[in-house]
Amino acid sequence: MSDATEEVRAHAILSPSGADRWMTCLGSTALCVDLPDTTSSYAEEGTDHHEVAAYCLEEKVDAKELIGRPMPSGAALTEENAKFVQEYVDFVRSHKDENGILLAEEEVPISHLTGEPLPNGKGTSDAVILRGDRELFVGDLKFGRGVPVSPERNRQMMIYALGVIQKHQVQEDYDTVRLAISQPRNGGNSDWVISMSDLLAFGEEVKKTAARIAGVDDLGKFFLVKGLPLTPSEKACQFCKAKANCSALKNLVTSTMADDFEMLDFVPPKDVILASDAQQKADRLGQHMRIADFAELWIKAVRAATEAELLAGRPVTGFKLVQGKKGNRKWTDAEAVEAMMKKFRLKKDEMYDFSLISPTSAEKLLAEKSPKRWNELKGLYAQSDGAIHVAPESDKRDRYVPEKAEEGFEEVLTTTVDDGSDLI
C-alpha cells in the first residue's frame, strides 16, 4: 500500500508506555518505527530491580533476603536498593485483601484497543490484584530518579487496566480501578481511582486514535499510516526516538526563537508599569518558558544523534569528534603503592587522607543497628534548603513565595550609574 508502512516487531508498536506520544502526536509512530531501540545503564538498572520486585511478590519473600544475589545484568542487589524494592513490595501487598489474587509481571492483551495483532499486541503490568471487593488494583514500579510520574489520567496505566479486564473478563466484577505508582527513589507512592465507566470511555478513545494511526490489510498484515500530523508536546516529545529529526519540533523551537524572543527585553514606555503591560510580559514569558522545555529536549536529542553518527564513523557536516580533558589519576594497584610508600618510610599522615564520614553515611551505619546513637548525632548536622527553580503550575509542590526586596535589604539611593567596573 502506498500510504502505509508494514512493520513487524517483537514488542508493541502502539505500546502502553508510548501512549502519551502516539495518542498526542499521530505522526510520531511512523517516524519512530525504523529507528533502533536504545538502552542505557539506567534501563538495565530498572529491569534488574523489576525482576527482584516480581520475585519477591511471587515467592512471598522480602528483598533483604536477596541482598548480594546477582540480577539479570549480573550486578548484585545492594542493601540500599533492596530497601527501595521493599518499599514497592510493601505498597503492593498493602492493597491485597483477604480474597484477592496477586499477579506480578502480568502479561495483558492490548490488541482489542490498538488493532495490533498478537504476538506484538500486548503489554506487561508490574502488579495486578484481582481484589475480592469491587475495586481492581493495577500497580507500576518506576525505579528511576527522573521525573515524578502521576497515576492520575495516566494513559499507560489505564491501558494496562483495560488489558487486565479483557484478559480476565472482570468488567462486571468491579466498579472502580485503583491505579498505583511507586517511585521509591523519587517521591514515594501515589494512587488514583477511576470509575469503570470512565475507564471504558477512555478505551473507546484509544481505539479511535489507534485506528487513525494503523490498521490491518486484506492479507492480515499490520501497517502504519504515513503523513499524519506531528504535534509536539512535553509528554509526547520527552521519550520520542525521532525528536532529533522531527521537523515539527524544530520549527516550533526555531520559529519562536526567531520571531518572539526579542520580546523578552520588553520595557514599558513609561516609568509606571501598566497592569496590561505587566500581564503581557507575564503571558509571553510563560509562553517562552513552555517553549524552553521543547528547546532543551530538541537540543539534547540533536547532540545525542550527532555523537551517535560520528561514533559510528558516519560524517556530520561541520563537526568532528575530539578527545576531552584527561580524567583524574588513580592508582592501578593500591596495595603495591601502599607497600612501596611504607618502604619509603613515609608517615601515615603523609600516606593517607582522613575525613569524617558524611551524615548520610552515618545514618546508614547507625540508624538501624544503633538508633539511640544516631538520635544523639542527628542534632549535629545542618542541611540546606532545596534550590529554588521554576516549575509549571501543575506541579504538586507548594508555591515558594520570595521575600519582598525591602524585607531583606536596606534601600540604597544613588545618583550614579553602576557600570559593573567593581566586578572586573
Side-chain angles (χ1 to χ4, degrees), residues 35-234:
L35 298 178
D37 291 323
T38 58
T39 187
S40 67
S41 59
Y42 303 110
E44 272 191 1
E45 181 184 56
T47 299
D48 278 347
H49 293 91
H50 271 75
E51 290 288 334
V52 173
Y55 183 85
C56 290
L57 291 174
E58 289 171 342
E59 301 301 324
K60 300 180 181 179
V61 300
D62 288 339
K64 65 182 180 182
E65 298 176 38
L66 307 175
I67 293 172
R69 294 193 190 181
M71 297 179 288
S73 71
L77 177 65
T78 66
E79 182 178 355
E80 181 182 19
N81 285 340
K83 290 179 181 178
F84 291 133
V85 170
Q86 191 63 41
E87 183 178 330
Y88 160 74
V89 170
D90 290 341
F91 179 55
V92 172
R93 287 173 177 167
S94 71
H95 286 87
K96 184 182 179 298
D97 57 354
E98 185 178 351
N99 297 315
I101 300 172
L102 172 59
L103 306 168
E105 293 294 306
E106 176 73 348
E107 189 176 279
V108 296
I110 59 171
S111 297
H112 63 296
L113 301 171
T114 65
E116 187 174 355
L118 292 172
N120 296 354
K122 61 188 178 184
T124 302
S125 179
D126 293 340
V128 172
I129 303 177
L130 302 172
R131 289 174 54 92
D133 57 13
R134 302 289 296 177
E135 184 171 273
L136 175 67
F137 174 90
V138 179
D140 195 46
L141 170 62
K142 305 290 186 188
F143 199 75
R145 299 182 187 270
V147 180
V149 180
S150 170
E152 186 173 348
R153 301 299 303 175
N154 186 297
R155 291 185 174 110
Q156 177 184 9
M157 296 292 292
M158 289 192 286
I159 292 175
Y160 283 150
L162 289 164
V164 172
I165 291 165
Q166 175 74 10
K167 179 175 181 177
H168 295 280
Q169 293 296 298
V170 291
Q171 178 179 327
E172 301 301 324
D173 297 338
Y174 297 106
D175 300 320
T176 57
V177 179
R178 185 174 298 273
L179 307 178
I181 291 179
S182 180
Q183 294 181 278
R185 300 198 297 174
N186 190 21
N189 306 317
S190 56
D191 55 73
W192 178 71
V193 177
I194 184 172
S195 69
M196 182 63 73
S197 58
D198 285 349
L199 181 64
L200 295 176
F202 169 74
E204 293 304 312
E205 180 187 339
V206 175
K207 290 178 185 177
K208 289 177 183 177
T209 304
R212 294 181 61 189
I213 298 171
V216 179
D217 64 19
D218 295 337
L219 299 176
K221 292 184 178 180
F222 185 71
F223 65 85
L224 296 175
V225 177
K226 288 183 176 180
L228 293 174
L230 297 168
T231 312
S233 72
E234 186 175 357

Side-chain angles (χ1 to χ4, degrees), residues 340-356:
M340 192 171 291
M341 286 185 174
K342 287 179 178 178
K343 184 180 176 181
F344 295 160
R345 298 182 181 277
L346 293 179
K347 298 177 181 178
K348 282 189 176 182
D349 59 351
E350 293 175 320
M351 289 174 55
Y352 300 101
D353 291 324
F354 292 99
S355 61
L356 200 61

Side-chain angles (χ1 to χ4, degrees), residues 324-328:
K325 182 182 176 182
K326 287 185 177 182
N328 294 331

Side-chain angles (χ1 to χ4, degrees), residues 2-18:
S2 59
D3 63 341
T5 300
E6 294 180 5
E7 192 63 25
V8 177
R9 284 286 188 274
H11 55 81
I13 295 173
L14 299 180
S15 65
S17 61

